[in-house]
Amino acid sequence: MIGLVVSDMAASLAFYRRLGLDIPADADAAPHVEAPLPGGLRIAWDTEEVIRSFDPGWTRPTGGERIGLAFVCASPAEVDAVYASLTEAGYEGHLKPWDAEWGQRYAVVLDPDGCGVSLFANAS
């Protein structure tokens, strides 16, 4: 399982729903949420309060990347479309779509907690 610690559950889940994750609509107020990923992997979100409930000294990380997630898109055009959809919805674009030297169309958007989420597709 991939676990994310979030400051605002509803905001985080709204972002990841836009990336196609199947997250129940009634999960926004829950302190812990899980969703299935392909191949049996799961992704989970916990509020900062949940983490502090068993680790009172926990503090939010500062600076740098806390985690890197990447979502494959069907085509270079879809990378552009997903990036545009997210940024038009108010999410912060970190790196606008570009043709990377390693043969992919690539972009990065920040989730509500500032984690970079990559969007990519093979360039051909």
Side-chain angles (χ1 to χ4, degrees):
M1 177 171 19
I2 299 166
L4 301 174
V5 179
V6 300
S7 59
D8 182 331
M9 184 66 78
S12 187
L13 296 183
F15 177 85
Y16 287 98
R17 283 184 188 109
R18 286 181 161 273
L19 288 168
L21 296 184
D22 185 18
I23 304 165
D26 63 351
D28 289 359
H32 173 86
V33 177
E34 292 186 24
L37 296 172
L41 192 60
R42 300 185 66 73
I43 186 167
W45 298 263
D46 286 295
T47 62
E48 293 175 354
E49 292 78 17
V50 165
I51 302 305
R52 285 190 192 105
S53 74
F54 61 83
D55 185 359
W58 182 87
T59 58
R60 181 184 302 152
T62 58
E65 291 292 323
R66 294 183 288 162
I67 190 168
L69 297 176
F71 286 74
V72 65
C73 296
S75 67
E78 187 179 17
V79 171
D80 295 354
V82 172
Y83 181 89
S85 173
L86 289 168
T87 56
E88 289 167 7
Y91 299 104
E92 184 178 345
H94 180 66
L95 297 173
K96 291 181 180 180
W98 84 96
D99 293 323
E101 64 184 51
W102 54 85
Q104 294 177 327
R105 184 76 172 160
Y106 212 89
V108 179
V109 179
L110 301 181
D111 79 1
D113 289 291
C115 294
V117 177
S118 298
L119 309 170
F120 71 96
N122 288 332
S124 54

